[in-house]
Coordinates of all heavy atoms in Angstrom, one line a residue:
D15 N -11.9 6.6 66.6 CA -11.2 6.3 65.4 C -10.8 7.6 64.7 O -11.1 8.7 65.0 CB -12.2 5.4 64.6 CG -13.3 6.2 64.2 OD1 -13.3 7.1 63.4 OD2 -14.6 5.9 64.6
Y16 N -9.9 7.3 63.8 CA -9.2 8.4 63.1 C -10.2 9.2 62.1 O -10.2 10.3 62.0 CB -8.0 8.0 62.3 CG -6.9 7.4 63.4 CD1 -6.6 6.2 63.3 CD2 -6.3 8.3 64.2 CE1 -5.5 5.6 64.2 CE2 -5.3 7.9 65.0 CZ -4.9 6.6 64.9 OH -4.0 6.1 65.9
K17 N -11.0 8.4 61.5 CA -12.1 9.1 60.6 C -12.9 9.9 61.4 O -13.4 11.0 60.9 CB -12.8 8.0 59.8 CG -11.9 7.3 58.7 CD -12.6 6.3 57.9 CE -11.8 5.5 57.0 NZ -12.4 4.6 56.2
G18 N -13.4 9.5 62.5 CA -14.3 10.2 63.3 C -13.6 11.5 63.9 O -14.2 12.6 64.1
Q19 N -12.3 11.5 64.2 CA -11.7 12.6 64.7 C -11.5 13.6 63.6 O -11.7 14.8 63.8 CB -10.3 12.2 65.2 CG -10.1 11.5 66.4 CD -8.8 11.1 66.8 OE1 -7.9 11.3 66.2 NE2 -8.7 10.4 68.0
K20 N -11.2 13.2 62.3 CA -11.1 14.0 61.1 C -12.5 14.7 60.9 O -12.6 16.0 60.6 CB -10.6 13.2 60.0 CG -10.6 14.0 58.7 CD -10.0 13.2 57.6 CE -9.8 14.1 56.3 NZ -9.4 13.2 55.3
L21 N -13.5 13.9 61.0 CA -14.9 14.5 60.7 C -15.2 15.6 61.8 O -15.7 16.6 61.5 CB -15.9 13.3 60.7 CG -17.4 13.9 60.7 CD1 -17.7 14.5 59.3 CD2 -18.3 12.6 60.9
A22 N -14.9 15.3 63.1 CA -15.1 16.2 64.2 C -14.3 17.5 63.9 O -14.9 18.7 64.1 CB -14.8 15.6 65.5
E23 N -13.1 17.3 63.5 CA -12.3 18.6 63.3 C -12.8 19.4 62.0 O -12.9 20.6 62.2 CB -10.8 18.1 63.0 CG -9.8 19.2 62.7 CD -9.5 20.0 63.9 OE1 -9.8 19.5 65.0 OE2 -9.1 21.3 63.8
Q24 N -13.3 18.7 61.0 CA -13.8 19.4 59.9 C -15.1 20.2 60.3 O -15.2 21.4 59.9 CB -14.1 18.5 58.7 CG -12.8 17.9 58.1 CD -13.1 16.9 57.1 OE1 -14.1 16.3 57.1 NE2 -12.1 16.6 56.1
I25 N -16.0 19.5 61.1 CA -17.2 20.2 61.5 C -16.9 21.4 62.4 O -17.4 22.4 62.2 CB -18.1 19.1 62.2 CG1 -18.6 18.1 61.2 CG2 -19.2 19.9 63.0 CD1 -19.4 17.0 61.9
F26 N -16.0 21.1 63.3 CA -15.5 22.2 64.3 C -15.0 23.5 63.5 O -15.5 24.5 63.6 CB -14.5 21.8 65.2 CG -14.2 22.7 66.2 CD1 -14.8 22.9 67.4 CD2 -12.9 23.4 66.0 CE1 -14.4 23.9 68.4 CE2 -12.5 24.4 67.1 CZ -13.3 24.6 68.2
Q27 N -14.3 23.3 62.6 CA -13.4 24.4 61.7 C -14.5 24.9 60.9 O -14.6 26.3 60.7 CB -12.3 23.9 61.0 CG -11.1 23.5 61.8 CD -10.0 23.0 61.0 OE1 -10.0 22.9 59.9 NE2 -8.7 22.8 61.8
G28 N -15.4 24.2 60.3 CA -16.4 24.8 59.4 C -17.4 25.6 60.1 O -17.7 26.8 59.6
I29 N -17.8 25.2 61.2 CA -18.8 26.0 62.0 C -18.1 27.3 62.6 O -18.7 28.5 62.4 CB -19.4 25.3 63.2 CG1 -20.3 24.2 62.7 CG2 -20.2 26.2 64.2 CD1 -20.8 23.2 63.7
I30 N -16.9 27.3 63.0 CA -16.1 28.5 63.4 C -16.0 29.4 62.3 O -16.1 30.6 62.4 CB -14.9 28.1 64.1 CG1 -15.0 27.2 65.3 CG2 -13.9 29.2 64.3 CD1 -15.6 28.0 66.5
L31 N -15.7 28.9 61.1 CA -15.3 29.8 60.0 C -16.6 30.5 59.5 O -16.7 31.6 59.3 CB -14.8 29.0 58.8 CG -14.5 29.7 57.5 CD1 -13.4 30.8 57.7 CD2 -14.0 28.8 56.4
V32 N -17.7 29.7 59.4 CA -19.0 30.2 58.9 C -19.5 31.2 60.0 O -20.0 32.3 59.6 CB -20.2 29.0 58.7 CG1 -21.4 29.7 58.5 CG2 -19.6 28.3 57.5
S33 N -19.4 30.9 61.2 CA -19.9 31.9 62.2 C -19.1 33.2 62.3 O -19.6 34.3 62.4 CB -20.0 31.3 63.6 OG -18.6 31.1 64.1
A34 N -17.7 33.1 62.0 CA -16.9 34.3 61.9 C -17.3 35.1 60.7 O -17.3 36.2 60.9 CB -15.4 33.9 62.0
I35 N -17.6 34.5 59.5 CA -18.0 35.3 58.4 C -19.2 35.9 58.6 O -19.3 37.1 58.3 CB -17.9 34.4 57.1 CG1 -16.5 34.0 56.8 CG2 -18.6 35.1 56.0 CD1 -16.4 32.9 55.7
I36 N -20.2 35.3 59.1 CA -21.6 35.8 59.3 C -21.4 36.9 60.4 O -21.9 38.0 60.2 CB -22.6 34.7 59.7 CG1 -22.9 33.8 58.5 CG2 -23.9 35.3 60.2 CD1 -23.6 32.6 59.0
G37 N -20.7 36.6 61.5 CA -20.6 37.6 62.5 C -19.9 38.8 62.0 O -20.4 40.0 62.4
F38 N -18.8 38.8 61.3 CA -18.2 40.0 60.6 C -19.0 40.7 59.7 O -19.2 41.9 59.9 CB -16.9 39.6 59.9 CG -16.2 40.6 59.4 CD1 -15.3 41.5 60.1 CD2 -16.3 40.9 57.9 CE1 -14.7 42.5 59.5 CE2 -15.6 42.1 57.4 CZ -14.9 42.8 58.2
I39 N -19.8 40.0 58.9 CA -20.7 40.9 58.0 C -21.8 41.4 58.8 O -22.1 42.6 58.7 CB -21.2 39.9 56.9 CG1 -20.1 39.4 56.0 CG2 -22.4 40.5 56.1 CD1 -20.6 38.4 55.1
Y40 N -22.5 40.7 59.8 CA -23.6 41.4 60.5 C -23.0 42.5 61.3 O -23.6 43.6 61.4 CB -24.2 40.4 61.4 CG -25.4 40.7 62.1 CD1 -26.6 40.9 61.3 CD2 -25.4 41.2 63.3 CE1 -27.8 41.5 62.0 CE2 -26.5 41.7 64.0 CZ -27.6 41.8 63.3 OH -28.8 42.3 63.9
G41 N -21.9 42.4 61.9 CA -21.3 43.4 62.8 C -20.9 44.6 62.0 O -21.0 45.8 62.4
Y42 N -20.4 44.5 60.7 CA -20.0 45.4 59.9 C -21.3 46.3 59.4 O -21.2 47.5 59.3 CB -19.3 45.0 58.6 CG -18.7 46.0 57.8 CD1 -17.5 46.7 58.1 CD2 -19.5 46.2 56.5 CE1 -17.0 47.7 57.2 CE2 -19.0 47.2 55.7 CZ -17.8 48.0 56.0 OH -17.3 48.9 55.1
I43 N -22.3 45.6 59.1 CA -23.5 46.2 58.6 C -24.1 47.1 59.8 O -24.6 48.2 59.6 CB -24.5 45.2 58.1 CG1 -24.1 44.6 56.7 CG2 -25.8 45.7 57.9 CD1 -24.8 43.4 56.2
T44 N -24.2 46.5 60.9 CA -24.9 47.2 62.1 C -23.9 48.0 62.8 O -24.3 48.8 63.7 CB -25.4 46.1 63.1 OG1 -24.4 45.3 63.6 CG2 -26.5 45.3 62.5
E45 N -22.6 48.0 62.4 CA -21.6 48.9 63.1 C -21.5 48.6 64.6 O -21.2 49.5 65.3 CB -21.8 50.2 62.8 CG -21.6 50.6 61.3 CD -21.7 52.0 60.9 OE1 -22.0 52.9 62.0 OE2 -21.8 52.4 59.8
Q46 N -21.7 47.3 64.9 CA -21.6 46.9 66.2 C -20.6 45.7 66.4 O -21.0 44.6 66.1 CB -23.0 46.5 66.9 CG -23.9 47.6 67.0 CD -23.6 48.6 68.1 OE1 -23.0 48.1 69.1 NE2 -23.8 49.8 67.8
F47 N -19.4 45.9 67.0 CA -18.5 44.8 67.2 C -19.0 43.8 68.2 O -18.6 42.6 68.1 CB -17.1 45.4 67.6 CG -16.1 44.4 67.7 CD1 -15.5 43.8 66.6 CD2 -15.6 43.9 69.0 CE1 -14.6 42.8 66.7 CE2 -14.7 43.0 69.1 CZ -14.2 42.4 68.0
G48 N -19.7 44.1 69.1 CA -20.3 43.1 70.0 C -21.2 42.1 69.4 O -21.1 40.9 69.8
W49 N -21.9 42.4 68.4 CA -22.7 41.3 67.6 C -21.8 40.2 66.9 O -22.0 39.2 66.9 CB -23.7 42.0 66.6 CG -24.8 42.4 67.2 CD1 -25.2 43.8 67.4 CD2 -26.0 41.6 67.9 NE1 -26.4 43.9 68.1 CE2 -26.9 42.6 68.3 CE3 -26.1 40.3 68.0 CZ2 -28.0 42.1 69.0 CZ3 -27.3 39.8 68.5 CH2 -28.2 40.7 69.0
T50 N -20.6 40.8 66.4 CA -19.6 39.9 65.9 C -19.1 38.9 66.9 O -19.1 37.8 66.7 CB -18.5 40.7 65.2 OG1 -18.9 41.6 64.3 CG2 -17.5 39.8 64.7
V51 N -18.7 39.5 68.0 CA -18.3 38.5 69.1 C -19.4 37.5 69.6 O -19.1 36.4 69.7 CB -17.7 39.4 70.3 CG1 -17.4 38.5 71.5 CG2 -16.6 40.3 69.9
Y52 N -20.6 38.0 69.8 CA -21.7 37.1 70.1 C -21.9 36.1 69.1 O -22.1 34.9 69.6 CB -23.0 38.0 70.4 CG -22.9 38.9 71.6 CD1 -23.6 40.2 71.5 CD2 -22.4 38.6 72.8 CE1 -23.5 41.1 72.5 CE2 -22.2 39.5 73.7 CZ -22.9 40.7 73.6 OH -22.8 41.6 74.7
I53 N -21.9 36.3 67.9 CA -22.2 35.4 66.9 C -21.0 34.2 66.8 O -21.3 33.2 66.7 CB -22.3 36.0 65.5 CG1 -23.7 36.8 65.5 CG2 -22.4 35.0 64.3 CD1 -24.0 37.7 64.4
V54 N -19.8 34.8 66.9 CA -18.6 33.8 67.0 C -18.7 32.9 68.1 O -18.4 31.9 68.2 CB -17.3 34.7 66.8 CG1 -16.1 33.7 67.1 CG2 -17.2 35.3 65.5
M55 N -19.1 33.6 69.3 CA -19.2 32.7 70.6 C -20.3 31.7 70.4 O -20.1 30.6 70.9 CB -19.5 33.6 71.8 CG -18.2 34.4 72.2 SD -18.4 35.6 73.5 CE -19.5 34.9 74.6
A56 N -21.5 32.0 69.8 CA -22.5 31.2 69.5 C -22.0 30.0 68.7 O -22.3 28.8 68.9 CB -23.7 31.8 69.0
G57 N -21.2 30.4 67.6 CA -20.8 29.4 66.8 C -19.9 28.4 67.4 O -19.8 27.2 67.2
F58 N -19.0 28.9 68.3 CA -18.1 28.1 69.1 C -18.9 27.1 70.0 O -18.5 26.1 70.2 CB -17.1 29.1 69.9 CG -16.2 28.2 70.8 CD1 -15.0 27.7 70.3 CD2 -16.4 28.2 72.2 CE1 -14.2 27.0 71.0 CE2 -15.5 27.5 73.0 CZ -14.4 26.9 72.4
A59 N -19.8 27.7 70.7 CA -20.6 26.9 71.7 C -21.4 25.6 70.8 O -21.3 24.6 71.2 CB -21.7 27.7 72.2
L60 N -21.9 26.1 69.5 CA -22.5 25.0 68.9 C -21.6 23.9 68.3 O -21.8 22.8 68.4 CB -23.2 25.7 67.6 CG -23.9 24.8 66.6 CD1 -25.1 24.0 67.2 CD2 -24.3 25.5 65.4
S61 N -20.4 24.5 67.9 CA -19.4 23.5 67.5 C -18.9 22.6 68.7 O -18.6 21.4 68.4 CB -18.2 24.2 66.8 OG -17.5 25.0 67.7
C62 N -18.7 23.2 69.8 CA -18.4 22.3 71.0 C -19.5 21.3 71.2 O -19.2 20.1 71.5 CB -18.3 23.2 72.1 SG -16.5 24.1 72.1
L63 N -20.7 21.7 71.1 CA -21.8 20.8 71.4 C -21.9 19.7 70.4 O -22.1 18.5 70.8 CB -23.1 21.6 71.5 CG -24.4 20.8 71.7 CD1 -24.5 20.2 73.0 CD2 -25.6 21.6 71.4
L64 N -21.4 19.9 69.1 CA -21.5 19.0 68.2 C -20.4 18.1 68.1 O -20.3 17.0 67.6 CB -21.8 19.6 66.7 CG -23.1 20.2 66.6 CD1 -23.2 20.8 65.2 CD2 -24.2 19.2 66.7
T65 N -19.2 18.5 68.6 CA -18.0 17.8 68.3 C -17.3 17.1 69.6 O -16.4 16.2 69.5 CB -16.9 18.5 67.6 OG1 -16.6 19.8 68.4 CG2 -17.3 19.1 66.3
L66 N -17.7 17.7 70.8 CA -16.9 17.2 72.0 C -17.5 15.9 72.6 O -16.7 15.0 72.8 CB -16.9 18.2 73.0 CG -15.9 19.5 72.8 CD1 -15.9 20.5 74.0 CD2 -14.5 19.0 72.6
P67 N -18.8 15.7 72.7 CA -19.4 14.4 73.0 C -19.1 13.4 72.1 O -18.9 13.7 71.0 CB -20.8 14.7 73.2 CG -21.1 16.2 73.2 CD -19.8 16.7 72.4
P68 N -18.9 12.2 72.6 CA -18.7 11.0 71.8 C -19.9 10.5 71.0 O -20.4 9.3 71.4 CB -18.2 9.9 72.6 CG -18.7 10.2 74.0 CD -18.9 11.7 74.0
W69 N -20.4 11.4 70.1 CA -21.6 10.9 69.3 C -21.3 9.6 68.5 O -20.2 9.4 68.1 CB -22.1 12.0 68.4 CG -22.4 13.4 69.1 CD1 -21.7 14.5 69.2 CD2 -23.5 13.6 69.9 NE1 -22.2 15.5 69.8 CE2 -23.5 14.9 70.3 CE3 -24.6 12.8 70.3 CZ2 -24.5 15.4 71.2 CZ3 -25.6 13.3 71.1 CH2 -25.5 14.7 71.5
P70 N -22.4 8.9 68.2 CA -22.1 7.7 67.5 C -21.7 7.9 66.0 O -21.0 7.0 65.4 CB -23.6 7.1 67.3 CG -24.3 7.5 68.5 CD -23.8 9.0 68.7
M71 N -21.9 9.1 65.4 CA -21.3 9.3 64.1 C -19.8 9.4 64.1 O -19.2 9.2 63.0 CB -22.0 10.6 63.5 CG -21.6 11.9 64.2 SD -22.4 13.1 63.4 CE -22.0 14.5 64.5
Y72 N -19.2 9.6 65.2 CA -17.8 9.6 65.2 C -17.1 8.3 65.6 O -15.9 8.1 65.7 CB -17.4 10.7 66.3 CG -17.8 12.0 66.1 CD1 -18.3 12.8 67.1 CD2 -17.7 12.7 64.9 CE1 -18.9 14.0 66.9 CE2 -18.1 13.9 64.6 CZ -18.8 14.6 65.5 OH -19.2 15.8 65.4
R73 N -17.9 7.4 65.9 CA -17.4 5.9 66.4 C -17.9 4.9 65.4 O -18.1 3.7 65.7 CB -18.0 5.7 67.7 CG -17.5 6.5 68.8 CD -18.0 6.2 70.1 NE -19.4 6.5 70.2 CZ -20.3 6.0 71.1 NH1 -20.0 4.9 71.8 NH2 -21.4 6.3 71.1
R74 N -17.9 5.2 64.1 CA -18.3 4.2 63.1 C -17.2 3.3 62.6 O -17.4 2.2 62.1 CB -18.9 4.9 61.9 CG -20.2 5.5 62.1 CD -20.8 6.2 60.9 NE -21.9 6.9 61.1 CZ -22.4 7.7 60.2 NH1 -21.9 8.1 59.2 NH2 -23.7 8.2 60.7
N75 N -15.9 3.7 62.8 CA -14.8 2.9 62.4 C -13.9 2.6 63.5 O -12.7 3.2 63.7 CB -14.0 3.6 61.4 CG -14.9 3.9 60.1 OD1 -15.5 2.9 59.7 ND2 -15.0 5.3 59.8
P76 N -14.2 1.7 64.5 CA -13.3 1.5 65.8 C -12.0 0.9 65.3 O -11.9 0.2 64.4 CB -14.2 0.6 66.5 CG -15.2 -0.1 65.7 CD -15.5 0.9 64.6
L77 N -11.1 1.1 66.1 CA -9.7 0.6 65.9 C -9.7 -0.8 66.4 O -10.3 -1.2 67.4 CB -8.8 1.3 66.6 CG -8.4 2.8 66.2 CD1 -7.5 3.5 67.1 CD2 -8.1 2.9 64.9
K78 N -8.9 -1.7 65.7 CA -8.8 -3.1 66.1 C -7.5 -3.2 67.0 O -6.4 -3.0 66.6 CB -8.6 -4.0 65.0 CG -9.7 -4.0 63.8 CD -10.9 -4.6 64.4 CE -11.9 -4.6 63.3 NZ -13.2 -3.9 63.5
W79 N -7.7 -3.4 68.2 CA -6.7 -3.5 69.2 C -6.2 -5.0 69.3 O -6.9 -6.0 69.1 CB -7.2 -3.1 70.6 CG -7.5 -1.7 70.7 CD1 -8.7 -1.2 70.5 CD2 -6.6 -0.6 71.0 NE1 -8.6 0.2 70.6 CE2 -7.3 0.6 70.9 CE3 -5.3 -0.6 71.2 CZ2 -6.8 1.8 71.1 CZ3 -4.6 0.7 71.4 CH2 -5.5 1.8 71.3
L80 N -4.9 -5.1 69.6 CA -4.3 -6.5 69.7 C -4.7 -7.2 71.0 O -5.1 -6.4 72.0 CB -2.8 -6.5 69.8 CG -2.2 -6.1 68.4 CD1 -0.6 -6.0 68.7 CD2 -2.4 -7.1 67.5
P81 N -5.1 -8.5 71.1 CA -5.5 -9.1 72.3 C -4.4 -9.0 73.3 O -3.2 -9.2 73.1 CB -5.9 -10.5 72.0 CG -5.1 -10.8 70.7 CD -5.0 -9.5 70.0
V82 N -4.7 -9.1 74.7 CA -3.9 -9.2 75.7 C -3.2 -10.6 75.8 O -4.0 -11.6 75.8 CB -4.5 -8.9 77.1 CG1 -3.5 -9.0 78.2 CG2 -5.2 -7.5 77.1
Q83 N -1.9 -10.6 75.8 CA -1.2 -11.9 75.9 C -0.6 -12.1 77.3 O 0.1 -11.1 77.7 CB -0.1 -12.1 74.8 CG -0.8 -12.0 73.4 CD 0.4 -12.1 72.5 OE1 1.6 -12.0 72.7 NE2 0.0 -12.2 71.1
E84 N -0.8 -13.2 77.9 CA -0.2 -13.6 79.1 C 1.2 -13.9 79.0 O 1.6 -14.7 78.0 CB -0.9 -14.7 79.9 CG -2.4 -14.3 80.3 CD -2.4 -13.2 81.5 OE1 -1.4 -13.2 82.3 OE2 -3.2 -12.4 81.5
L85 N 2.1 -13.7 79.8 CA 3.6 -13.9 79.7 C 3.7 -15.3 80.2 O 3.1 -15.8 81.2 CB 4.5 -13.0 80.6 CG 4.6 -11.5 80.2 CD1 5.3 -10.7 81.2 CD2 5.2 -11.5 78.8
G86 N 4.5 -16.1 79.6 CA 4.7 -17.4 79.9 C 5.7 -17.5 81.2 O 6.3 -16.5 81.6
T87 N 5.8 -18.7 81.8 CA 6.7 -18.7 83.0 C 8.1 -18.3 82.7 O 8.8 -17.7 83.5 CB 6.6 -20.2 83.8 OG1 7.0 -21.1 82.7 CG2 5.2 -20.4 84.1
E88 N 8.6 -18.8 81.5 CA 10.0 -18.4 81.2 C 10.3 -17.1 81.0 O 11.2 -16.4 81.4 CB 10.5 -19.3 80.0 CG 10.4 -20.8 80.2 CD 10.6 -21.5 78.8 OE1 10.8 -20.9 77.8 OE2 10.5 -22.7 78.8
E89 N 9.2 -16.4 80.3 CA 9.3 -15.0 80.1 C 9.2 -14.1 81.3 O 9.8 -13.1 81.4 CB 8.2 -14.6 79.1 CG 8.5 -15.2 77.8 CD 7.3 -14.8 76.7 OE1 6.4 -14.3 77.2 OE2 7.4 -15.1 75.6
K90 N 8.3 -14.6 82.3 CA 8.2 -13.9 83.6 C 9.6 -13.9 84.3 O 9.9 -13.0 84.9 CB 7.2 -14.6 84.4 CG 5.7 -14.2 84.1 CD 4.7 -14.8 84.9 CE 3.3 -14.7 84.5 NZ 2.4 -15.2 85.4
K91 N 10.3 -15.0 84.4 CA 11.5 -15.2 85.2 C 12.5 -14.2 84.4 O 13.3 -13.6 85.1 CB 12.0 -16.8 85.0 CG 11.2 -17.6 85.9 CD 11.8 -19.0 85.8 CE 10.9 -20.0 86.6 NZ 11.3 -21.4 86.3
A92 N 12.5 -14.2 83.1 CA 13.5 -13.3 82.4 C 13.2 -11.9 82.7 O 13.9 -11.0 82.8 CB 13.5 -13.6 80.9
A93 N 11.9 -11.5 82.8 CA 11.5 -10.1 83.1 C 11.8 -9.8 84.5 O 12.1 -8.5 84.8 CB 10.0 -10.0 82.8
D94 N 11.7 -10.7 85.4 CA 12.0 -10.5 86.8 C 13.6 -10.2 87.2 O 13.9 -9.7 88.2 CB 11.6 -11.4 87.8 CG 10.0 -11.5 87.8 OD1 9.4 -10.5 87.4 OD2 9.5 -12.5 88.0
R95 N 14.4 -10.8 86.3 CA 15.9 -10.6 86.5 C 16.3 -9.2 86.3 O 15.7 -8.4 85.6 CB 16.5 -11.4 85.5 CG 16.4 -12.9 85.6 CD 17.3 -13.7 84.7 NE 16.9 -15.0 84.6 CZ 16.9 -15.6 83.4 NH1 17.5 -15.1 82.3 NH2 16.3 -16.8 83.2
K96 N 17.3 -8.9 87.1 CA 17.9 -7.5 87.1 C 18.9 -7.3 85.8 O 19.5 -8.4 85.5 CB 18.7 -7.2 88.2 CG 17.9 -7.0 89.6 CD 18.7 -6.7 90.7 CE 17.8 -6.6 91.9 NZ 18.6 -6.3 93.1
P97 N 18.8 -6.2 85.1 CA 19.8 -6.3 83.9 C 21.2 -6.3 84.4 O 21.5 -5.7 85.5 CB 19.4 -4.9 83.4 CG 18.7 -4.1 84.3 CD 18.1 -5.1 85.4
K98 N 22.0 -6.8 83.6 CA 23.5 -6.9 84.0 C 24.1 -5.5 83.9 O 23.8 -4.8 82.8 CB 24.2 -7.9 83.1 CG 23.7 -9.4 83.5 CD 24.5 -10.4 82.6 CE 24.0 -11.7 82.9 NZ 24.7 -12.7 82.0
R99 N 25.1 -5.2 84.6 CA 25.7 -4.0 84.5 C 27.0 -4.2 83.6 O 27.6 -5.2 83.9 CB 26.1 -3.3 85.8 CG 24.8 -2.9 86.6 CD 25.4 -2.3 87.9 NE 24.9 -1.0 88.0 CZ 25.1 -0.1 88.8 NH1 25.9 -0.5 89.8 NH2 24.7 1.0 88.8
H100 N 27.3 -3.4 82.8 CA 28.5 -3.6 82.0 C 29.6 -2.6 82.5 O 29.4 -1.5 82.9 CB 28.3 -3.3 80.4 CG 27.2 -4.2 79.9 ND1 27.6 -5.4 79.6 CD2 26.0 -4.0 79.6 CE1 26.4 -6.1 79.0 NE2 25.5 -5.1 79.0
S101 N 30.8 -3.1 82.6 CA 31.9 -2.3 83.0 C 32.3 -1.3 81.9 O 32.3 -1.7 80.9 CB 33.0 -3.2 83.6 OG 33.6 -4.0 82.3
K102 N 32.8 -0.2 82.3 CA 33.3 0.8 81.4 C 34.7 0.5 81.1 O 35.5 0.1 81.8 CB 33.2 2.1 82.0 CG 31.7 2.6 82.3 CD 31.8 4.0 82.9 CE 30.3 4.4 83.1 NZ 30.4 5.7 83.7
S103 N 35.1 0.6 79.7 CA 36.3 0.3 79.3 C 37.1 1.5 79.2 O 36.8 2.5 78.8 CB 36.4 -0.4 77.9 OG 35.6 -1.6 78.0

């Protein structure tokens, strides 16, 4: 559903943003760029774990699909006919 997709996107972006800020600050303080990368990668892994599987919290508002309708015999015959070719003027 669309609300679940929006929620997943917000969670994903929030975790990435927070981990990037924390990683940058920690890497700046320790003067180690590697820690920044590790923290951002851990945030990415966490966000993937929380947003990629179809968790029930993302399926609370299912879409209402139209029922399948069988074609009547008249409609089937019309669908089986070849379209007429129009001559060019």
